[in-house]
Amino acid sequence: MSRAASDHAAAPLEAEQTPIGVQTLVSGVPPITPAQRLAMRANAPMEPKKPQRAADHGLFDTNSRNQIEMF
C-alpha cells in the first residue's frame, strides 16, 4: 500500500444492534426519524388499491389517431 493511501485510510464505521439487525452508523449522517419516514409517505403520490384499466378510449385513444379516413 502506498504512503498516500495509508495516510487517508478511513476509520472503521461504528455499528449498533437493532431489532431488524446490525445497522452501520456513518459519522456526519443523522439517522432517519419515524417522523421523517411518515412525512415521505404522506408526500408520495397516491397509488391505486386495485389494478387500473387502461385509458384507451375517447380523448386518450392513441390508436384512433392513426386512422386515415373519417368515415
Side-chain angles (χ1 to χ4, degrees), residues 10-61:
L13 299 174
E14 295 181 31
E16 70 179 2
Q17 183 66 35
T18 64
I20 61 171
V22 178
Q23 300 288 314
T24 303
L25 304 173
V26 181
S27 62
V29 179
I32 298 174
T33 64
Q36 290 171 327
R37 287 185 195 276
L38 289 172
M40 283 184 1
R41 295 210 45 203
N43 291 330
M46 292 180 68
E47 296 179 2
K49 295 181 182 182
K50 295 181 180 179
Q52 302 294 302
R53 291 187 299 168
D56 58 356
H57 58 280
L59 179 64
F60 305 105
D61 187 5

